[in-house]
Amino acid sequence: MAKIPPGVGPRFPQVVVLFGATGDLARRKLLPGLYHLSTAGFIPSCRIIGVSLDDIDVEGFRAAARSALDEFFNRNMTDRDWQAFASSLDYVPLAAGAPALKAAVDRAEQSLGTESRRLHYLSVPPSAALSAVRLLGEAGLVQHARIVMEKPFGTDLASSHELNTRLHEVFAEEQIFRIDHFLGKEPAQNILAFRFANGLFEPIWNRNFIDHVQIDVPETLGLGKRSGFYEQTGAYRDMVVTHLFQILAFMAMEPPTALDPAPIGEEKNKVFRSMLPIDPAHVVRGQYVGYRGEDGVDPESETETFIALKCYIDNWRWAGVPFFLRTGKRLAEGQRIISIAFREPPKSMFPAGSGVGAQGPDHLTFDLADASKMSLSFYGKRPGPGMRLDKLSLQFAMHDTGLLGEVLEAYERLILDAMRGDRTLFTTAEGIERLWQVSTQLLESPPPVRLYEPGSWGPKSIHQLIAPHAWRLPFERAWRAPNPLGS
């Protein structure tokens, strides 16, 4: 097992109260993540108390946890590690109420035998979040605690403000960690390293050199059992406010005074404060054919399963630069990219037919999949007589470094940061409310939904939205296949 660097994990042992402990997110991400953090030595010591509606005992919860690990944990698992992890698990049915939960936390803290901290993770639907918060308050579990909230953080400005007000009645803002798993991905953090650790690109990271930016997150998956939930949210509320705008802030923010949570959070909020209200005329809403026939969906539903939009950041660095965002379900490919298109030279001295300009502007592309990849495209001369140019590219992939095994999964990284009290990759009440504010006009007067075929790239009107530019996806050239280090 690799040695964990000092300072990576929390100073104190942790008592984790996991609401929604038998739900889908807990099975797929949270329990496997907590297992890895515990057994790999990231956490000094840990006790986990599952809470859910299911009327099971601790042995039933341990069996459910083992089933989740068998299905979703993709690293080696030993019997010794499993037994140690299983012994750290406890369970309280929600119906048992605050006294039972308080007693379970007391037992866990006493078993640790030293000073500890509490982490409450609310893996529950938005409608259940405040009742869980009230339960924690009734149980007296607020002190020495941090609380992790899952999206969405409201559905508009009024509901977001109300949610934050009610939260602040129990927990202080510095205790609240609003999670966005996109920001926990290694490539998202690599944007900060790329921009602020290198002198090559930061001088041209502005409106004078960048023509436009695309943040593109198409998904091939449908909604499955989430259709009923999705009817209350749609693609804009589900993905844009909570994910794509957060990535946009990392890409567009000014250099922070330090790589610390408060300075980074302030620079992100400056981006949000500089955003112009979203114009419904700059938005394409779509719905895949067949959505209205799924369980829990209104047969005349106007909920969008696809959204593409153009927005602007009206500040000194970005004034006039369009940012194009796109995401949707049942699309042709599953990708997560940021693509920065640079301005083309003001005049070409190359002869007609040379190929220059034929394949669009130079692009810097970040792939936001779990394994970092970046690509810089540019024109270069084709070997041989004459002046013929081809589009070439420089590419980097985490596969090439031999460090891929050290990448923490997004939820693992964010859980670890919450335990440490590091709010760098989490959103604030101010930021979320500002994003709902700039969304108000769109939410009150949305354009009609346009149908698109599953397996396509969305409604055809997306091409008018981005004209005279073109969508970067689908790529004309595939990413190069990873090569083993040293081959």
Side-chain angles (χ1 to χ4, degrees):
M1 182 183 297
K3 185 177 180 181
I4 306 303
V8 168
R11 290 176 53 204
F12 298 101
Q14 302 288 312
V15 175
V16 179
V17 178
L18 177 57
F19 285 83
T22 58
D24 184 60
L25 179 61
R27 282 181 51 79
R28 290 186 297 107
K29 298 293 185 180
L30 304 181
L31 288 169
L34 287 166
Y35 175 86
H36 180 227
L37 293 176
S38 299
T39 58
F42 286 97
I43 309 171
S45 189
C46 186
R47 299 291 183 270
I48 300 165
I49 302 165
V51 181
S52 82
L53 292 169
D54 291 355
D55 186 16
I56 57 176
D57 59 12
V58 63
E59 291 305 321
F61 180 48
R62 288 171 179 165
R66 180 57 193 249
S67 172
L69 292 174
D70 288 340
E71 186 173 358
F72 296 107
F73 188 67
N74 56 12
R75 295 178 171 93
N76 291 329
M77 182 168 59
T78 67
D79 287 339
R80 179 179 178 181
D81 283 344
W82 161 248
Q83 292 300 330
F85 183 72
S87 68
S88 75
L89 300 178
D90 199 355
Y91 184 80
V92 176
L94 194 61
L101 181 57
K102 171 64 174 171
V105 171
D106 287 345
R107 287 195 304 271
E109 292 176 340
Q110 290 166 9
S111 72
L112 290 170
T114 185
E115 185 178 359
S116 61
R117 294 290 184 268
R118 300 161 180 165
L119 182 75
H120 308 310
Y121 198 116
L122 271 55
S123 178
V124 297
S127 58
L130 285 176
S131 62
V133 169
R134 286 193 295 270
L135 179 64
L136 291 168
E138 291 170 10
L141 300 176
V142 176
Q143 190 176 14
H144 301 307
R146 300 179 178 112
I147 182 167
V148 180
M149 306 285 296
E150 278 285 342
K151 69 174 180 78
F153 314 111
T155 57
D156 54 21
L157 179 58
S159 61
S160 175
H161 182 73
E162 172 70 10
L163 174 62
N164 286 324
T165 299
R166 301 282 292 279
L167 280 173
H168 292 154
E169 291 173 356
V170 182
F171 289 93
E173 175 65 17
E174 58 267 23
Q175 293 178 281
I176 303 168
F177 290 72
R178 298 169 186 82
I179 195 167
D180 172 14
H181 72 271
F182 270 45
L183 296 187
K185 293 180 178 295
E186 202 71 38
Q189 299 158 60
N190 209 19
I191 296 170
L192 297 181
F194 185 89
R195 286 190 59 190
F196 301 132
N198 301 297
L200 180 60
F201 283 100
E202 185 57 25
I204 61 172
W205 208 265
N206 57 60
R207 64 187 301 274
N208 296 321
F209 298 94
I210 291 177
D211 184 78
H212 66 278
V213 178
Q214 296 181 35
I215 302 176
D216 212 350
V217 187
E219 298 180 288
T220 58
L221 296 176
L223 292 166
K225 297 179 181 178
R226 296 179 67 232
S227 299
F229 158 77
Y230 209 76
E231 271 289 275
Q232 310 303 316
T233 55
Y236 185 81
R237 290 179 171 93
D238 184 48
M239 289 290 293
V240 177
V241 175
T242 49
H243 292 325
L244 274 62
F245 280 157
Q246 305 300 327
I247 293 293
L248 181 151
F250 264 24
M251 188 270 160
M253 63 189 277
E254 295 296 319
T257 55
L259 281 178
D260 292 324
I264 289 178
E266 174 57 20
E267 296 305 332
K268 285 177 59 185
N269 285 343
K270 284 181 183 178
V271 173
F272 299 147
R273 290 197 291 268
S274 300
M275 287 180 66
L276 294 177
I278 306 301
D279 185 345
H282 294 161
V283 177
V284 175
R285 297 170 67 237
Q287 185 186 93
Y288 64 77
V289 175
Y291 171 75
R292 293 176 181 175
E294 296 188 6
D295 290 343
V297 175
D298 185 337
E300 298 181 357
S301 173
E302 290 293 306
T303 300
E304 79 278 357
T305 61
F306 171 97
I307 190 101
L309 62 90
K310 175 169 61 175
C311 62
Y312 291 92
I313 300 169
D314 192 27
N315 63 14
W316 194 269
R317 184 183 291 259
W318 297 113
V321 176
F323 287 74
F324 298 99
L325 282 58
R326 176 173 65 171
T327 186
K329 304 293 185 183
R330 301 290 300 275
L331 296 176
E333 293 180 20
Q335 294 274 359
R336 295 172 179 177
I337 71 158
I338 301 176
S339 190
I340 295 121
F342 293 98
R343 293 191 183 278
E344 299 192 60
K347 180 173 173 57
S348 175
M349 74 286 290
F350 295 94
S354 65
V356 69
Q359 297 183 56
D362 299 336
H363 283 85
L364 175 66
T365 301
F366 294 87
D367 187 331
L368 299 181
D370 287 324
S372 297
K373 288 189 286 189
M374 291 185 292
S375 172
L376 176 63
S377 69
F378 55 91
Y379 284 101
K381 182 183 178 299
R382 183 184 300 180
M387 185 58 72
R388 294 280 296 166
L389 282 80
D390 289 326
K391 203 73 165 182
L392 309 174
S393 68
L394 296 172
Q395 293 189 11
F396 158 81
M398 188 63 73
H399 294 278
D400 299 331
T401 67
L403 300 174
L404 188 60
E406 298 185 20
V407 174
L408 284 178
E409 200 275 339
Y411 277 98
E412 295 174 354
R413 167 64 191 264
L414 292 169
I415 289 171
L416 197 63
D417 281 357
M419 289 177 171
R420 296 170 58 230
D422 186 340
R423 296 165 56 85
T424 303
L425 302 177
F426 295 84
T427 57
T428 65
E430 177 191 341
I432 287 293
E433 290 186 21
R434 171 58 184 167
L435 289 173
W436 286 122
Q437 185 180 18
V438 301
S439 304
T440 298
Q441 188 177 354
L442 172 62
L443 297 177
E444 291 179 349
S445 304
V449 292
R450 301 172 183 270
L451 297 180
Y452 64 95
E453 290 294 330
S456 71
W457 285 98
K460 291 182 171 54
S461 51
I462 60 171
H463 302 296
Q464 286 75 49
L465 174 70
I466 202 170
H469 315 296
W471 290 101
R472 186 82 167 121
L473 288 174
F475 286 131
E476 293 181 1
R477 294 175 302 281
W479 292 94
R480 285 197 286 272
N483 293 316
L485 189 65
S487 63

